[in-house]
Amino acid sequence: MTGEAMASQPMEGGCLCGDIRYTITPPALFVSQCCCRDCQKATGTGHTTIIGIHKSQLAMDGTPATYTNTGDTGGRVTRHFCGRCGGRLYTSGDLPGDYIMVQAGSLDDPGQVSPQDVIYVKDKPHWDKVDNTLPQYAELPPPPV
Ligand SMILES: [Zn+2]
Ligand SMILES: [Zn+2]
């Protein structure tokens, strides 16, 4: 399948135990690998891969548990995950434009997306490898025009 064909397919996913399922209506607005400390603590990994979409593009089947804290930019950040298996689903917060960020690893076929950049590289542990062919940003990329 070409990248273009994949980009037009609805993307389905869910948590580890299957209690919570979701469908994303394309297109993804951005796909980033995030190395920030909060992502590390929330997922137990060196970095996590997130799919940025508008909230209206996500249809949930099931009700995730949530945890809210204050993010790097001072706004509230809420992480949505399965209360039974702990599987991470998406993150929402005080972001411009009503964006949410879905965990790419929770897709049924994570190969449906391709990361375009790596963010918060300043927090990346030395043992974690990211794609060095992608643009890397110490924190966030410059805002889109
Ligand atoms: Zn679950
Ligand atoms: Zn992060």
Side-chain angles (χ1 to χ4, degrees), residues 33-40 48 50 79 119-120:
Q33 297 186 317
C34 184
C35 306
C36 84
R37 290 278 22 223
D38 283 6
C39 283
Q40 290 169 17
T48 186
I50 52 177
R79 290 163 203 275
I119 62 175
Y120 285 96

Side-chain angles (χ1 to χ4, degrees), residues 7-13 21-31 51-61 90 97-102 107 113:
S8 62
Q9 301 263 326
M11 294 184 278
E12 298 198 359
R21 300 284 305 160
Y22 65 79
T23 303
I24 296 172
T25 302
L29 307 174
F30 62 86
V31 181
I51 306 166
I53 55 172
H54 285 298
K55 200 169 180 166
S56 60
Q57 291 174 262
L58 182 70
M60 296 294 297
D61 182 9
Y90 70 100
D98 210 17
Y99 292 119
I100 61 172
M101 289 154 299
V102 179
L107 288 175
V113 295

Side-chain angles (χ1 to χ4, degrees), residues 29-111:
L29 307 174
F30 62 86
V31 181
S32 298
Q33 297 186 317
C34 184
C35 306
C36 84
R37 290 278 22 223
D38 283 6
C39 283
Q40 290 169 17
K41 284 282 191 183
T43 64
T45 61
H47 70 268
T48 186
T49 302
I50 52 177
I51 306 166
I53 55 172
H54 285 298
K55 200 169 180 166
S56 60
Q57 291 174 262
L58 182 70
M60 296 294 297
D61 182 9
T63 306
T66 61
Y67 173 75
T68 300
N69 70 350
T70 301
D72 179 67
T73 51
R76 285 175 307 113
V77 178
T78 301
R79 290 163 203 275
H80 304 250
F81 53 93
C82 175
R84 184 176 172 218
C85 73
R88 288 282 314 282
L89 296 159
Y90 70 100
T91 301
S92 63
D94 294 334
L95 300 163
D98 210 17
Y99 292 119
I100 61 172
M101 289 154 299
V102 179
Q103 301 291 137
S106 69
L107 288 175
D108 292 344
D109 176 6

